[in-house]
Every structure is written in C-alpha cells, then in structure tokens.
Amino acid sequence: MDIFCIRGGTPLHGRIALHGAKNAALPLLAATLATGARCELHDCPDISDVTAACAILRHLGCAVEQHGGIVAVDAGSACRSDIPAELMRKMRAAVLFLGPLLARFGTAELSLPGGCVLGARPIDLHLRGLRRMGAEITLDGEHISARTDGLHGCTVALPLPSVGATENLILAALGCRGTLTLCNAAREPEIADLQCYLRKLGADISGAGTSTVTVGGFRPRPFVEHTIMPDRIVAATILCAAAACGGEVELQDVDPAHFSTVLDSLSEAGCAIITAASAVRLTSDGQLTAPRPVVTQPYPGFPTDAQPPLMAACLRAKGTTVFTENIFTNRYRHAEEFRRLGAAVSIEGRVAYVTGVERLTGAPLTASDLRGGAALVIAGLLAQGTAYIGRREYIDRGYEDIVRDLRALGARIKG
Ligand code: EPU
C-alpha cells in the first residue's frame, strides 16, 4: 500500500531492537569508495536512502551485495568518477561522494543533491573546505565539476558545524598529503561512528565527537567489518509515540546518551524513564504536560530530526509547548497537517506554539518529508477514528518498517 492507515487510541506496550542509523550508514557507504578495500557493514538499515547509496556505488563500479542487514562492498573495482543527476537527486547524502571521489580519483563530475525540502540546503561549506584542500571546483547551474592534482593538509574552520561538510572533508582527507585539521566540526555521534570505521580502514584520525578533528594519513587495509551505531532518531520517534499514546515501551541496543535531550523533554512532559547502558524504558499514562521550550541545536543540543516527532507527542499535552527550529528554515510543514486533525499549532518564523487539545480526529494527511512524515504517523496514533498518511515513500527513506515496529507494540496501523 502506498499509504498508511491508522486507527488511533491504543496504548503501546512491548520491546523492540533498533536498526543501524541512516545518518551513520550513508557516510560509511561513501567512505568505502575512498579506499580499494572490501567492507562489510552490519545492522545496515534496509531503507531507500541506503538503496540509493548502493546504486551510486554500483554505478561507480563497486561490487555491492545487500542481504539481511549486511551490506558488503568491494570498492577495489571502482572505475569511474561521475554520478548522474538521477542518482544525485535521490538524497542529500549523495553529496558525500564528492570527498571520496576526489580522494580516490582526483576528479568528480556530479550534480547538486536532492533530499527532503527543509528550506535552503546549500553545500557552500563543503565546496569551500575542499577548495582550501586543493580542489578546483566549478558549479555550473546544477552541475559540479571538481578536480585536483593532489589534496593537501591544511586547517579548515567551519563557520557553522555542518554535519555533511564535516563528513565530506574528513573523507576527502583520506586522499591528502599532510594533516587536515577541522575546527568547529559537527560533534554528532554519527561522526564518531565514522571515525571508528575509518580507523579500522587504516586512517589516522582523531577528535571526532569534539569540535576539532584531525586526519593525518591513511594506510588502507584490505578488509574491514563494522557494526553501524543504532538509530537515535528512530529511537526518539518510537519513544515520542509511546509517550503520547501511553503504555510502556523498552528499546534495546540503543545508547540513551545519544538522545538524552529528547529523554529530558519526555520526562518533563510526565513520562517515567529508566535508562541502562544500552537500553531505555519509557512509561506514560498518555496524559502529558507541555515540556519546557524545545530549541533545536547542533549536537549535543536537541536534534532537529526529533523536533517533528516531539511536536506530535505534544499535540494533546496540557498547556503550550514552544519549539524554536534553529537548524533548518522550513521544517514545520507537518504542522499544517496536524491542524487537519484539529490540533492547535501556530507558527511565527522559527517558532511554533503547540497548545494541547482534548481531542484529535482522524483525517487524510500527506507526508512532505521524512521526520515530518513520521510525526504524522504519531499524530494518527493519537487521533480518534481513522487517519491516512499519503506519500509514505518519504518515511521509507529513514524507517526500515515503521508499521512492523508499531504493530509489534500494539498499534493499529496498516500500510
Ligand atoms: N549548511 C550551509 N552550508 C553547507 C552545509 C550546511 O549553510 O554547506 C546549513 C544547512 O542549510 C542547514 C545547517 O547548515 O541549515 C545544517 O546542515 P548540516 O550540513 O548539518 O546537515 P546535513 O548534513 O545536510 C544532516 C542529516 C540530517 C540532519 C542534519 C542536522 C544526514 C544524511 N543528514 O544533514 O538528517 O537533520 O544533519 O542534524 O546525515 C534526516 O535524517 O531526516 C535529516 C534531515
């Protein structure tokens, strides 16, 4: 089915394990290209963005096999450095192949990436950093043409801690002479996971997870295995659903420290939360109170990707929750859909005010981006009657099988 059909009103109970993180898997897949190695990634989510990354690797000449959560890539046979527009359009993370292509071949022909529309998403910081490392890059309309006679070490200070620019520059540095020092780097856990993988591949990299990352040399190893870190945003989504619907849910194989700001908000809203080293249990009576204002920030602040799911959880919370979205300029499109269910949400620039209502009523809704789409699913679970969520392909980009997971917890959802 192309749509999800949800009959709301049931509490969620049970325990589920999470798949590996999309936003860790995509840079790791791009990293495989930078080497001639054979790599095996475990817990790789079976989502359309991973399929798109594998299609790019195949196009470039790599041998790729996907089966049961394992993606095996043999990058030794990579033989071309161009990526056609139809592959670039599939996702934003396609731009992460630019750094590895320059590192491996010294040349790249590609186009601007697609991805969820969340406002302007320029790649100027990627290009500026690569130019500083010695790449000549021209941008002609949508087309990017890049070449270098050899990247060199230098210091790059990012004006803002862009996740993608941090990753792209780290990946390009695998092919550079000398040491790259990256200042004001993004500190997301997915970047620490990338460092862990690159060290296994033979890179001399340190500092990931802090604001200063250095990459100073690379002696490729022939075969590497890596288990991708669990998806902290999928974890946050499931917990927001359980908080809103009521019930008791336990997530296993997670690192609660990776989404502690989300746990803080859910706890302020009235949920009881118990964390262990790699598990979290949330209990909720479904009668939430508005948490303190939620302000999205680069990690370790509140993640922008968890803003839509938390907003959905607050639609019936007592009082008014105030959200400030600081990362993207247009990440409230889900709010318009929430109103169709009877929610009281108003937007003023970067700020959204959500006043809890007694009752939401099912209606046909349309997803327009990945996390906003997941938030519509949560809102549908809260509504009385039946909600339909169209354009589920957005949700499939980042959630392996949200229907399977929610049904396992007792939700009445089909799709
Ligand atoms: N920015 C620039 N210039 C650049 C790069 C970024 O101005 O060259 C701006 C962006 O426009 C945005 C801000 O900096 O306003 C942050 O962008 P960033 O580069 O950090 O984000 P990204 O790499 O495009 C990744 C995730 C997103 C997540 C953001 C922020 C991946 C594949 N994507 O995107 O995930 O929201 O970091 O944490 O890692 C999602 O999973 O739904 C998703 C959108």
Side-chain angles (χ1 to χ4, degrees):
M1 253 206 297
D2 289 341
I3 57 170
F4 293 138
C5 172
I6 303 170
R7 283 182 56 221
T10 23
L12 304 183
H13 286 278
R15 183 185 288 179
I16 54 173
L18 296 171
H19 56 66
K22 165 180 88 77
N23 290 346
L26 299 174
L28 296 188
L29 286 165
T32 58
L33 175 72
T35 79
R38 283 190 307 118
C39 311
E40 211 170 88
L41 297 177
H42 296 251
D43 279 359
C44 198
D46 186 6
I47 52 176
S48 57
D49 273 15
V50 164
T51 308
C54 291
I56 291 176
L57 286 168
R58 286 193 187 97
H59 167 82
L60 295 170
C62 303
V64 184
E65 281 177 34
Q66 270 178 283
H67 48 86
I70 298 179
V71 175
V73 181
D74 185 345
S77 50
C79 55
R80 56 194 297 173
S81 58
D82 66 298
I83 305 178
E86 66 267 23
L87 293 179
M88 290 299 296
R89 263 198 293 272
K90 294 245 155 96
M91 59 171 178
R92 166 82 178 175
V95 76
L96 298 180
F97 284 89
L98 177 55
L101 283 172
L102 283 171
R104 177 91 181 260
F105 298 115
T107 167
E109 296 291 330
L110 32 82
S111 57
L112 291 174
C116 288
V117 178
L118 309 172
R121 297 181 78 179
I123 57 164
D124 54 321
L125 305 181
H126 304 233
L127 303 187
R128 205 187 298 172
L130 291 169
R131 284 186 179 118
R132 207 167 150 69
M133 292 167 74
E136 287 166 30
I137 305 177
T138 54
L139 184 56
D140 182 9
E142 296 270 298
H143 188 79
I144 303 167
S145 195
R147 61 163 301 283
T148 178
D149 293 330
L151 297 173
H152 54 74
C154 61
T155 297
V156 175
L158 292 173
L160 57 88
S162 155
V163 174
T166 298
E167 293 165 344
N168 226 340
L169 299 181
I170 288 174
L171 295 175
L174 297 177
C176 87
R177 284 185 310 273
T179 300
L180 170 74
T181 303
L182 196 53
C183 303
N184 198 26
R187 291 181 281 164
E188 269 66 4
E190 289 77 11
I191 295 169
D193 201 37
L194 178 62
Q195 168 170 286
C196 180
Y197 178 62
L198 293 179
R199 281 186 177 160
K200 291 180 188 172
L201 276 170
D204 177 9
I205 169 170
S206 60
T210 74
S211 300
T212 307
V213 180
T214 56
V215 190
F218 180 42
R219 273 201 264 147
R221 307 216 170 99
F223 177 68
V224 170
E225 277 181 284
H226 183 75
T227 299
I228 297 173
M229 63 172 276
D231 198 312
R232 63 193 169 102
I233 304 301
V234 173
T237 305
I238 300 287
L239 293 179
C240 287
C245 296
E248 182 169 304
V249 165
E250 185 175 319
L251 302 180
Q252 296 166 314
D253 303 326
V254 290
D255 184 343
H258 287 165
F259 47 97
S260 61
T261 48
V262 181
L263 295 180
D264 290 346
S265 292
L266 292 174
S267 168
E268 286 161 23
C271 302
I273 295 172
I274 300 173
T275 58
S278 62
V280 54
R281 186 189 308 147
L282 176 145
T283 312
S284 165
D285 61 7
Q287 308 293 312
L288 301 184
T289 307
R292 281 204 291 256
V294 177
V295 180
T296 67
Q297 300 281 2
Y299 192 84
F302 190 97
T304 174
D305 294 343
Q307 174 261 107
L310 182 64
M311 188 182 287
C314 293
L315 293 177
R316 284 179 41 214
K318 194 158 175 269
T320 299
T321 314
V322 182
F323 290 83
T324 304
E325 172 56 56
N326 282 319
I327 306 298
F328 293 108
T329 51
N330 184 12
R331 202 170 201 180
Y332 285 139
R333 293 206 291 173
H334 43 282
E336 280 164 44
E337 300 298 296
F338 289 160
R339 288 196 202 105
R340 294 179 199 274
L341 303 173
V345 186
S346 61
I347 311 287
E348 286 174 23
R350 289 185 173 274
V351 183
Y353 300 89
V354 180
T355 301
V357 294
E358 283 283 313
R359 180 190 167 100
L360 298 170
T361 309
L365 306 176
T366 308
S368 55
D369 66 83
L370 164 57
R371 309 299 174 188
L376 298 188
V377 171
I378 297 175
L381 293 172
L382 276 182
Q384 295 187 6
T386 306
Y388 301 90
I389 319 285
R391 303 295 311 265
R392 64 169 283 183
E393 67 271 19
Y394 283 111
I395 301 168
D396 293 338
R397 296 181 55 179
Y399 296 82
E400 192 171 274
D401 195 340
I402 201 168
V403 169
R404 172 198 66 198
D405 290 346
L406 290 170
R407 283 174 76 101
L409 299 174
R412 293 176 297 182
I413 174 169
K414 286 193 288 193

